[in-house]
mmCIF file of all heavy atoms in Angstrom:
data_model
loop_
_atom_site.group_PDB
_atom_site.id
_atom_site.type_symbol
_atom_site.label_atom_id
_atom_site.label_comp_id
_atom_site.label_asym_id
_atom_site.label_seq_id
_atom_site.Cartn_x
_atom_site.Cartn_y
_atom_site.Cartn_z
ATOM 1 N N PHE A 1 156.069 173.473 145.933
ATOM 2 C CA PHE A 1 155.725 174.232 147.119
ATOM 3 C C PHE A 1 155.335 173.263 148.224
ATOM 4 O O PHE A 1 155.057 172.090 147.968
ATOM 5 C CB PHE A 1 154.566 175.192 146.840
ATOM 6 C CG PHE A 1 154.920 176.357 145.961
ATOM 7 C CD1 PHE A 1 155.076 176.197 144.596
ATOM 8 C CD2 PHE A 1 155.097 177.623 146.497
ATOM 9 C CE1 PHE A 1 155.404 177.266 143.783
ATOM 10 C CE2 PHE A 1 155.420 178.705 145.695
ATOM 11 C CZ PHE A 1 155.574 178.522 144.337
ATOM 12 N N ARG A 2 155.308 173.755 149.441
ATOM 13 C CA ARG A 2 154.858 172.923 150.541
ATOM 14 C C ARG A 2 154.051 173.752 151.526
ATOM 15 O O ARG A 2 154.206 174.961 151.618
ATOM 16 C CB ARG A 2 156.041 172.255 151.259
ATOM 17 C CG ARG A 2 156.926 173.214 152.045
ATOM 18 C CD ARG A 2 158.118 172.479 152.621
ATOM 19 N NE ARG A 2 158.934 173.326 153.476
ATOM 20 C CZ ARG A 2 160.083 172.949 154.016
ATOM 21 N NH1 ARG A 2 160.567 171.724 153.785
ATOM 22 N NH2 ARG A 2 160.759 173.791 154.791
ATOM 23 N N GLN A 3 153.194 173.063 152.259
ATOM 24 C CA GLN A 3 152.349 173.740 153.230
ATOM 25 C C GLN A 3 152.177 172.862 154.457
ATOM 26 O O GLN A 3 151.660 171.748 154.365
ATOM 27 C CB GLN A 3 150.987 174.079 152.625
ATOM 28 C CG GLN A 3 150.111 174.936 153.516
ATOM 29 C CD GLN A 3 148.918 175.511 152.777
ATOM 30 O OE1 GLN A 3 148.516 174.996 151.737
ATOM 31 N NE2 GLN A 3 148.365 176.580 153.304
ATOM 32 N N ALA A 4 152.617 173.375 155.586
ATOM 33 C CA ALA A 4 152.449 172.701 156.857
ATOM 34 C C ALA A 4 151.171 173.193 157.522
ATOM 35 O O ALA A 4 150.688 174.288 157.220
ATOM 36 C CB ALA A 4 153.649 172.963 157.759
ATOM 37 N N PRO A 5 150.605 172.411 158.438
ATOM 38 C CA PRO A 5 149.375 172.830 159.119
ATOM 39 C C PRO A 5 149.527 174.179 159.802
ATOM 40 O O PRO A 5 150.501 174.420 160.518
ATOM 41 C CB PRO A 5 149.147 171.714 160.140
ATOM 42 C CG PRO A 5 149.804 170.516 159.546
ATOM 43 C CD PRO A 5 151.021 171.060 158.854
ATOM 44 N N GLY A 6 148.577 175.061 159.552
ATOM 45 C CA GLY A 6 148.597 176.374 160.165
ATOM 46 C C GLY A 6 149.559 177.364 159.540
ATOM 47 O O GLY A 6 149.688 178.485 160.048
ATOM 48 N N LYS A 7 150.231 176.981 158.473
ATOM 49 C CA LYS A 7 151.186 177.857 157.830
ATOM 50 C C LYS A 7 150.808 178.095 156.374
ATOM 51 O O LYS A 7 150.043 177.338 155.782
ATOM 52 C CB LYS A 7 152.600 177.269 157.909
ATOM 53 C CG LYS A 7 153.129 177.106 159.322
ATOM 54 C CD LYS A 7 154.551 176.585 159.316
ATOM 55 C CE LYS A 7 155.101 176.456 160.721
ATOM 56 N NZ LYS A 7 156.502 175.942 160.717
ATOM 57 N N GLU A 8 151.366 179.148 155.817
ATOM 58 C CA GLU A 8 151.115 179.467 154.429
ATOM 59 C C GLU A 8 151.950 178.581 153.514
ATOM 60 O O GLU A 8 152.989 178.046 153.911
ATOM 61 C CB GLU A 8 151.421 180.938 154.155
ATOM 62 C CG GLU A 8 150.514 181.913 154.891
ATOM 63 C CD GLU A 8 150.781 183.353 154.513
ATOM 64 O OE1 GLU A 8 151.778 183.609 153.809
ATOM 65 O OE2 GLU A 8 149.987 184.217 154.907
ATOM 66 N N ARG A 9 151.484 178.447 152.297
ATOM 67 C CA ARG A 9 152.216 177.679 151.316
ATOM 68 C C ARG A 9 153.525 178.402 150.972
ATOM 69 O O ARG A 9 153.525 179.605 150.703
ATOM 70 C CB ARG A 9 151.365 177.483 150.069
ATOM 71 C CG ARG A 9 151.886 176.443 149.102
ATOM 72 C CD ARG A 9 150.821 176.072 148.069
ATOM 73 N NE ARG A 9 149.642 175.510 148.697
ATOM 74 C CZ ARG A 9 148.620 174.986 148.032
ATOM 75 N NH1 ARG A 9 148.649 174.956 146.695
ATOM 76 N NH2 ARG A 9 147.579 174.509 148.684
ATOM 77 N N GLU A 10 154.630 177.665 150.968
ATOM 78 C CA GLU A 10 155.921 178.272 150.729
ATOM 79 C C GLU A 10 156.663 177.603 149.583
ATOM 80 O O GLU A 10 156.480 176.415 149.306
ATOM 81 C CB GLU A 10 156.791 178.237 151.997
ATOM 82 C CG GLU A 10 157.197 176.845 152.434
ATOM 83 C CD GLU A 10 158.184 176.846 153.583
ATOM 84 O OE1 GLU A 10 158.790 177.903 153.845
ATOM 85 O OE2 GLU A 10 158.351 175.790 154.225
ATOM 86 N N PHE A 11 157.523 178.361 148.960
ATOM 87 C CA PHE A 11 158.303 177.895 147.835
ATOM 88 C C PHE A 11 159.393 176.932 148.279
ATOM 89 O O PHE A 11 160.076 177.161 149.275
ATOM 90 C CB PHE A 11 158.921 179.095 147.113
ATOM 91 C CG PHE A 11 159.855 178.734 146.000
ATOM 92 C CD1 PHE A 11 159.378 178.325 144.767
ATOM 93 C CD2 PHE A 11 161.223 178.826 146.177
ATOM 94 C CE1 PHE A 11 160.238 178.007 143.736
ATOM 95 C CE2 PHE A 11 162.100 178.515 145.161
ATOM 96 C CZ PHE A 11 161.597 178.100 143.934
ATOM 97 N N VAL A 12 159.569 175.851 147.545
ATOM 98 C CA VAL A 12 160.620 174.876 147.804
ATOM 99 C C VAL A 12 161.704 174.957 146.732
ATOM 100 O O VAL A 12 162.889 175.123 147.029
ATOM 101 C CB VAL A 12 160.059 173.448 147.872
ATOM 102 C CG1 VAL A 12 161.192 172.432 148.026
ATOM 103 C CG2 VAL A 12 159.063 173.318 149.017
ATOM 104 N N GLY A 13 161.308 174.827 145.495
ATOM 105 C CA GLY A 13 162.241 174.879 144.387
ATOM 106 C C GLY A 13 161.503 174.846 143.067
ATOM 107 O O GLY A 13 160.304 174.594 143.018
ATOM 108 N N ALA A 14 162.233 175.110 141.997
ATOM 109 C CA ALA A 14 161.627 175.124 140.672
ATOM 110 C C ALA A 14 162.685 174.821 139.626
ATOM 111 O O ALA A 14 163.896 174.894 139.893
ATOM 112 C CB ALA A 14 160.961 176.470 140.385
ATOM 113 N N ILE A 15 162.226 174.494 138.440
ATOM 114 C CA ILE A 15 163.127 174.200 137.340
ATOM 115 C C ILE A 15 162.598 174.838 136.070
ATOM 116 O O ILE A 15 161.417 174.717 135.741
ATOM 117 C CB ILE A 15 163.327 172.681 137.170
ATOM 118 C CG1 ILE A 15 164.383 172.389 136.097
ATOM 119 C CG2 ILE A 15 162.009 171.976 136.849
ATOM 120 C CD1 ILE A 15 164.862 170.945 136.123
ATOM 121 N N ARG A 16 163.465 175.535 135.371
ATOM 122 C CA ARG A 16 163.109 176.136 134.101
ATOM 123 C C ARG A 16 163.143 175.057 133.026
ATOM 124 O O ARG A 16 164.102 174.298 132.924
ATOM 125 C CB ARG A 16 164.085 177.273 133.762
ATOM 126 C CG ARG A 16 163.655 178.142 132.598
ATOM 127 C CD ARG A 16 164.410 179.465 132.609
ATOM 128 N NE ARG A 16 165.845 179.293 132.540
ATOM 129 C CZ ARG A 16 166.739 180.242 132.818
ATOM 130 N NH1 ARG A 16 166.326 181.437 133.218
ATOM 131 N NH2 ARG A 16 168.033 179.985 132.717
ATOM 132 N N TRP A 17 162.092 174.976 132.236
ATOM 133 C CA TRP A 17 161.933 173.821 131.370
ATOM 134 C C TRP A 17 162.873 173.783 130.179
ATOM 135 O O TRP A 17 163.309 172.708 129.768
ATOM 136 C CB TRP A 17 160.481 173.711 130.891
ATOM 137 C CG TRP A 17 160.072 172.296 130.648
ATOM 138 C CD1 TRP A 17 159.858 171.694 129.449
ATOM 139 C CD2 TRP A 17 159.851 171.302 131.647
ATOM 140 N NE1 TRP A 17 159.518 170.385 129.630
ATOM 141 C CE2 TRP A 17 159.498 170.110 130.977
ATOM 142 C CE3 TRP A 17 159.903 171.300 133.044
ATOM 143 C CZ2 TRP A 17 159.220 168.927 131.646
ATOM 144 C CZ3 TRP A 17 159.626 170.132 133.718
ATOM 145 C CH2 TRP A 17 159.285 168.963 133.018
ATOM 146 N N ASN A 18 163.192 174.925 129.629
ATOM 147 C CA ASN A 18 163.975 174.909 128.399
ATOM 148 C C ASN A 18 165.425 174.477 128.596
ATOM 149 O O ASN A 18 166.000 173.810 127.722
ATOM 150 C CB ASN A 18 163.920 176.274 127.704
ATOM 151 C CG ASN A 18 164.494 177.388 128.549
ATOM 152 O OD1 ASN A 18 164.873 177.191 129.692
ATOM 153 N ND2 ASN A 18 164.550 178.580 127.958
ATOM 154 N N ASP A 19 166.017 174.826 129.734
ATOM 155 C CA ASP A 19 167.420 174.498 129.946
ATOM 156 C C ASP A 19 167.705 173.760 131.247
ATOM 157 O O ASP A 19 168.852 173.389 131.507
ATOM 158 C CB ASP A 19 168.287 175.756 129.873
ATOM 159 C CG ASP A 19 167.912 176.805 130.897
ATOM 160 O OD1 ASP A 19 166.998 176.558 131.700
ATOM 161 O OD2 ASP A 19 168.539 177.881 130.886
ATOM 162 N N GLY A 20 166.686 173.555 132.071
ATOM 163 C CA GLY A 20 166.865 172.813 133.299
ATOM 164 C C GLY A 20 167.479 173.592 134.447
ATOM 165 O O GLY A 20 167.867 172.993 135.453
ATOM 166 N N TYR A 21 167.591 174.899 134.319
ATOM 167 C CA TYR A 21 168.128 175.709 135.404
ATOM 168 C C TYR A 21 167.211 175.625 136.611
ATOM 169 O O TYR A 21 165.993 175.705 136.478
ATOM 170 C CB TYR A 21 168.285 177.156 134.962
ATOM 171 C CG TYR A 21 169.124 177.982 135.894
ATOM 172 C CD1 TYR A 21 170.496 178.079 135.712
ATOM 173 C CD2 TYR A 21 168.552 178.663 136.965
ATOM 174 C CE1 TYR A 21 171.277 178.826 136.562
ATOM 175 C CE2 TYR A 21 169.333 179.411 137.823
ATOM 176 C CZ TYR A 21 170.693 179.497 137.619
ATOM 177 O OH TYR A 21 171.466 180.241 138.468
ATOM 178 N N THR A 22 167.799 175.461 137.790
ATOM 179 C CA THR A 22 167.011 175.253 138.998
ATOM 180 C C THR A 22 167.121 176.409 139.968
ATOM 181 O O THR A 22 168.108 177.142 140.001
ATOM 182 C CB THR A 22 167.437 173.965 139.716
ATOM 183 O OG1 THR A 22 168.855 173.973 139.918
ATOM 184 C CG2 THR A 22 167.057 172.744 138.899
ATOM 185 N N TYR A 23 166.099 176.542 140.781
ATOM 186 C CA TYR A 23 166.008 177.553 141.816
ATOM 187 C C TYR A 23 165.565 176.863 143.103
ATOM 188 O O TYR A 23 164.703 175.990 143.078
ATOM 189 C CB TYR A 23 164.994 178.639 141.439
ATOM 190 C CG TYR A 23 165.233 179.279 140.090
ATOM 191 C CD1 TYR A 23 164.829 178.647 138.920
ATOM 192 C CD2 TYR A 23 165.861 180.513 139.989
ATOM 193 C CE1 TYR A 23 165.050 179.223 137.689
ATOM 194 C CE2 TYR A 23 166.084 181.100 138.759
ATOM 195 C CZ TYR A 23 165.676 180.452 137.613
ATOM 196 O OH TYR A 23 165.900 181.037 136.384
ATOM 197 N N TYR A 24 166.154 177.276 144.223
ATOM 198 C CA TYR A 24 165.827 176.657 145.498
ATOM 199 C C TYR A 24 165.691 177.696 146.592
ATOM 200 O O TYR A 24 166.389 178.708 146.603
ATOM 201 C CB TYR A 24 166.905 175.660 145.932
ATOM 202 C CG TYR A 24 167.117 174.516 144.983
ATOM 203 C CD1 TYR A 24 168.157 174.543 144.069
ATOM 204 C CD2 TYR A 24 166.291 173.402 145.008
ATOM 205 C CE1 TYR A 24 168.371 173.492 143.197
ATOM 206 C CE2 TYR A 24 166.494 172.351 144.142
ATOM 207 C CZ TYR A 24 167.534 172.401 143.237
ATOM 208 O OH TYR A 24 167.741 171.349 142.378
ATOM 209 N N ALA A 25 164.800 177.422 147.519
ATOM 210 C CA ALA A 25 164.776 178.193 148.742
ATOM 211 C C ALA A 25 166.047 177.892 149.533
ATOM 212 O O ALA A 25 166.601 176.796 149.439
ATOM 213 C CB ALA A 25 163.539 177.856 149.571
ATOM 214 N N ASP A 26 166.515 178.854 150.303
ATOM 215 C CA ASP A 26 167.789 178.712 151.003
ATOM 216 C C ASP A 26 167.835 177.480 151.898
ATOM 217 O O ASP A 26 168.862 176.807 151.983
ATOM 218 C CB ASP A 26 168.079 179.966 151.828
ATOM 219 C CG ASP A 26 168.444 181.160 150.974
ATOM 220 O OD1 ASP A 26 168.803 180.967 149.798
ATOM 221 O OD2 ASP A 26 168.381 182.294 151.487
ATOM 222 N N SER A 27 166.744 177.177 152.565
ATOM 223 C CA SER A 27 166.727 176.056 153.495
ATOM 224 C C SER A 27 166.802 174.699 152.802
ATOM 225 O O SER A 27 167.074 173.688 153.450
ATOM 226 C CB SER A 27 165.484 176.119 154.382
ATOM 227 O OG SER A 27 164.303 176.037 153.611
ATOM 228 N N MET A 28 166.576 174.659 151.509
ATOM 229 C CA MET A 28 166.605 173.415 150.761
ATOM 230 C C MET A 28 167.904 173.197 149.990
ATOM 231 O O MET A 28 168.176 172.071 149.558
ATOM 232 C CB MET A 28 165.440 173.350 149.773
ATOM 233 C CG MET A 28 164.081 173.129 150.419
ATOM 234 S SD MET A 28 163.507 174.652 151.226
ATOM 235 C CE MET A 28 161.856 174.198 151.706
ATOM 236 N N LYS A 29 168.677 174.238 149.813
ATOM 237 C CA LYS A 29 169.906 174.133 149.041
ATOM 238 C C LYS A 29 170.857 173.122 149.671
ATOM 239 O O LYS A 29 171.101 173.140 150.866
ATOM 240 C CB LYS A 29 170.586 175.496 148.938
ATOM 241 C CG LYS A 29 169.818 176.503 148.106
ATOM 242 C CD LYS A 29 170.541 177.838 148.048
ATOM 243 C CE LYS A 29 169.770 178.841 147.210
ATOM 244 N NZ LYS A 29 170.437 180.171 147.184
ATOM 245 N N GLY A 30 171.364 172.224 148.835
ATOM 246 C CA GLY A 30 172.264 171.196 149.310
ATOM 247 C C GLY A 30 171.569 169.940 149.777
ATOM 248 O O GLY A 30 172.226 168.906 149.953
ATOM 249 N N ARG A 31 170.266 169.991 149.989
ATOM 250 C CA ARG A 31 169.495 168.832 150.435
ATOM 251 C C ARG A 31 168.500 168.352 149.385
ATOM 252 O O ARG A 31 168.288 167.150 149.247
ATOM 253 C CB ARG A 31 168.744 169.142 151.728
ATOM 254 C CG ARG A 31 169.629 169.525 152.900
ATOM 255 C CD ARG A 31 168.835 169.543 154.196
ATOM 256 N NE ARG A 31 167.740 170.499 154.150
ATOM 257 C CZ ARG A 31 166.459 170.195 154.402
ATOM 258 N NH1 ARG A 31 166.134 168.939 154.712
ATOM 259 N NH2 ARG A 31 165.531 171.131 154.355
ATOM 260 N N PHE A 32 167.895 169.291 148.685
ATOM 261 C CA PHE A 32 166.886 168.954 147.689
ATOM 262 C C PHE A 32 167.443 169.172 146.292
ATOM 263 O O PHE A 32 168.188 170.129 146.051
ATOM 264 C CB PHE A 32 165.641 169.823 147.860
ATOM 265 C CG PHE A 32 164.856 169.556 149.115
ATOM 266 C CD1 PHE A 32 165.327 168.703 150.100
ATOM 267 C CD2 PHE A 32 163.630 170.170 149.300
ATOM 268 C CE1 PHE A 32 164.599 168.460 151.255
ATOM 269 C CE2 PHE A 32 162.891 169.940 150.444
ATOM 270 C CZ PHE A 32 163.372 169.089 151.423
ATOM 271 N N THR A 33 167.069 168.296 145.380
ATOM 272 C CA THR A 33 167.492 168.411 143.993
ATOM 273 C C THR A 33 166.301 168.178 143.077
ATOM 274 O O THR A 33 165.627 167.157 143.185
ATOM 275 C CB THR A 33 168.601 167.405 143.650
ATOM 276 O OG1 THR A 33 169.724 167.601 144.516
ATOM 277 C CG2 THR A 33 169.049 167.593 142.207
ATOM 278 N N ILE A 34 166.059 169.121 142.198
ATOM 279 C CA ILE A 34 164.955 169.026 141.245
ATOM 280 C C ILE A 34 165.506 168.675 139.872
ATOM 281 O O ILE A 34 166.517 169.235 139.438
ATOM 282 C CB ILE A 34 164.160 170.340 141.190
ATOM 283 C CG1 ILE A 34 163.521 170.627 142.551
ATOM 284 C CG2 ILE A 34 163.094 170.294 140.103
ATOM 285 C CD1 ILE A 34 162.811 171.959 142.630
ATOM 286 N N SER A 35 164.839 167.767 139.211
ATOM 287 C CA SER A 35 165.229 167.369 137.867
ATOM 288 C C SER A 35 163.984 167.175 137.019
ATOM 289 O O SER A 35 162.871 167.060 137.545
ATOM 290 C CB SER A 35 166.070 166.091 137.886
ATOM 291 O OG SER A 35 165.347 165.018 138.458
ATOM 292 N N ARG A 36 164.171 167.141 135.713
ATOM 293 C CA ARG A 36 163.042 166.969 134.812
ATOM 294 C C ARG A 36 163.361 165.933 133.756
ATOM 295 O O ARG A 36 164.527 165.689 133.440
ATOM 296 C CB ARG A 36 162.678 168.306 134.144
ATOM 297 C CG ARG A 36 163.559 168.656 132.933
ATOM 298 C CD ARG A 36 163.671 170.134 132.721
ATOM 299 N NE ARG A 36 164.198 170.483 131.400
ATOM 300 C CZ ARG A 36 165.468 170.367 131.043
ATOM 301 N NH1 ARG A 36 166.359 169.866 131.894
ATOM 302 N NH2 ARG A 36 165.855 170.743 129.827
ATOM 303 N N ASP A 37 162.324 165.333 133.226
ATOM 304 C CA ASP A 37 162.427 164.432 132.103
ATOM 305 C C ASP A 37 161.474 164.959 131.044
ATOM 306 O O ASP A 37 160.264 164.753 131.136
ATOM 307 C CB ASP A 37 162.075 163.004 132.510
ATOM 308 C CG ASP A 37 162.351 161.993 131.416
ATOM 309 O OD1 ASP A 37 162.292 162.347 130.229
ATOM 310 O OD2 ASP A 37 162.626 160.821 131.757
ATOM 311 N N THR A 38 162.006 165.638 130.061
ATOM 312 C CA THR A 38 161.165 166.271 129.050
ATOM 313 C C THR A 38 160.428 165.257 128.188
ATOM 314 O O THR A 38 159.359 165.555 127.661
ATOM 315 C CB THR A 38 161.999 167.191 128.157
ATOM 316 O OG1 THR A 38 163.063 166.447 127.546
ATOM 317 C CG2 THR A 38 162.605 168.324 128.971
ATOM 318 N N ALA A 39 160.990 164.069 128.038
ATOM 319 C CA ALA A 39 160.344 163.038 127.240
ATOM 320 C C ALA A 39 159.109 162.482 127.925
ATOM 321 O O ALA A 39 158.164 162.055 127.257
ATOM 322 C CB ALA A 39 161.322 161.913 126.916
ATOM 323 N N LYS A 40 159.114 162.470 129.248
ATOM 324 C CA LYS A 40 158.001 161.911 130.010
ATOM 325 C C LYS A 40 157.110 162.970 130.643
ATOM 326 O O LYS A 40 156.126 162.637 131.300
ATOM 327 C CB LYS A 40 158.525 160.976 131.097
ATOM 328 C CG LYS A 40 159.286 159.777 130.564
ATOM 329 C CD LYS A 40 159.526 158.743 131.657
ATOM 330 C CE LYS A 40 160.386 159.286 132.763
ATOM 331 N NZ LYS A 40 160.684 158.232 133.784
ATOM 332 N N ASN A 41 157.460 164.238 130.464
ATOM 333 C CA ASN A 41 156.703 165.332 131.075
ATOM 334 C C ASN A 41 156.609 165.173 132.592
ATOM 335 O O ASN A 41 155.545 165.313 133.188
ATOM 336 C CB ASN A 41 155.291 165.436 130.486
ATOM 337 C CG ASN A 41 155.263 166.060 129.114
ATOM 338 O OD1 ASN A 41 156.255 166.600 128.628
ATOM 339 N ND2 ASN A 41 154.103 165.991 128.470
ATOM 340 N N THR A 42 157.737 164.881 133.200
ATOM 341 C CA THR A 42 157.765 164.702 134.642
ATOM 342 C C THR A 42 158.856 165.547 135.271
ATOM 343 O O THR A 42 159.861 165.866 134.643
ATOM 344 C CB THR A 42 157.997 163.235 135.035
ATOM 345 O OG1 THR A 42 159.233 162.771 134.465
ATOM 346 C CG2 THR A 42 156.865 162.360 134.541
ATOM 347 N N VAL A 43 158.642 165.885 136.517
ATOM 348 C CA VAL A 43 159.639 166.573 137.310
ATOM 349 C C VAL A 43 159.752 165.854 138.642
ATOM 350 O O VAL A 43 158.741 165.503 139.250
ATOM 351 C CB VAL A 43 159.297 168.068 137.503
ATOM 352 C CG1 VAL A 43 157.945 168.228 138.195
ATOM 353 C CG2 VAL A 43 160.385 168.772 138.290
ATOM 354 N N ASP A 44 160.978 165.616 139.080
ATOM 355 C CA ASP A 44 161.226 164.914 140.324
ATOM 356 C C ASP A 44 161.893 165.829 141.328
ATOM 357 O O ASP A 44 162.555 166.807 140.970
ATOM 358 C CB ASP A 44 162.118 163.696 140.099
ATOM 359 C CG ASP A 44 161.424 162.572 139.364
ATOM 360 O OD1 ASP A 44 160.220 162.697 139.072
ATOM 361 O OD2 ASP A 44 162.098 161.562 139.068
ATOM 362 N N GLN A 45 161.712 165.511 142.577
ATOM 363 C CA GLN A 45 162.380 166.221 143.652
ATOM 364 C C GLN A 45 162.980 165.205 144.599
ATOM 365 O O GLN A 45 162.254 164.534 145.339
ATOM 366 C CB GLN A 45 161.428 167.156 144.393
ATOM 367 C CG GLN A 45 162.100 167.920 145.523
ATOM 368 C CD GLN A 45 161.229 169.003 146.096
ATOM 369 O OE1 GLN A 45 161.426 170.191 145.817
ATOM 370 N NE2 GLN A 45 160.243 168.608 146.893
ATOM 371 N N GLN A 46 164.299 165.090 144.577
ATOM 372 C CA GLN A 46 165.017 164.232 145.499
ATOM 373 C C GLN A 46 165.277 165.003 146.780
ATOM 374 O O GLN A 46 165.897 166.067 146.755
ATOM 375 C CB GLN A 46 166.330 163.763 144.884
ATOM 376 C CG GLN A 46 167.172 162.882 145.792
ATOM 377 C CD GLN A 46 166.532 161.548 146.068
ATOM 378 O OE1 GLN A 46 165.967 160.938 145.167
ATOM 379 N NE2 GLN A 46 166.608 161.088 147.304
ATOM 380 N N MET A 47 164.819 164.470 147.891
ATOM 381 C CA MET A 47 164.942 165.137 149.178
ATOM 382 C C MET A 47 165.800 164.282 150.099
ATOM 383 O O MET A 47 165.425 163.162 150.442
ATOM 384 C CB MET A 47 163.566 165.386 149.798
ATOM 385 C CG MET A 47 162.614 166.154 148.885
ATOM 386 S SD MET A 47 161.049 166.587 149.686
ATOM 387 C CE MET A 47 160.388 164.948 149.994
ATOM 388 N N ASN A 48 166.934 164.827 150.493
ATOM 389 C CA ASN A 48 167.863 164.138 151.374
ATOM 390 C C ASN A 48 167.997 164.883 152.699
ATOM 391 O O ASN A 48 167.633 166.043 152.810
ATOM 392 C CB ASN A 48 169.236 164.009 150.715
ATOM 393 C CG ASN A 48 169.213 163.223 149.431
ATOM 394 O OD1 ASN A 48 168.446 162.272 149.286
ATOM 395 N ND2 ASN A 48 170.066 163.603 148.488
#
């Protein structure tokens, strides 16, 4: 999620842990990519 000054917190994207299926807000599709590493318990967000 993200929150800009004076604005409410908004959804950016998410990833389902069991299969890696991703969800994105429309404004982020094609620019942001979420991935996970189950071995390291980490999730990354590449923002282009």
Side-chain angles (χ1 to χ4, degrees):
F1 289 76
R2 69 184 185 185
Q3 187 167 21
K7 298 183 178 180
E8 295 184 351
R9 193 166 299 187
E10 66 173 344
F11 175 78
V12 175
I15 186 166
R16 191 162 59 195
W17 210 252
N18 61 356
D19 59 2
Y21 194 90
T22 52
Y23 306 80
Y24 299 99
D26 288 342
S27 61
M28 288 75 173
K29 292 180 180 178
R31 300 191 300 126
F32 292 7
T33 302
I34 297 175
S35 60
R36 82 208 195 285
D37 188 331
T38 57
K40 298 192 297 184
N41 284 350
T42 58
V43 59
D44 289 357
Q45 180 170 256
Q46 179 67 41
M47 305 186 296
N48 299 325

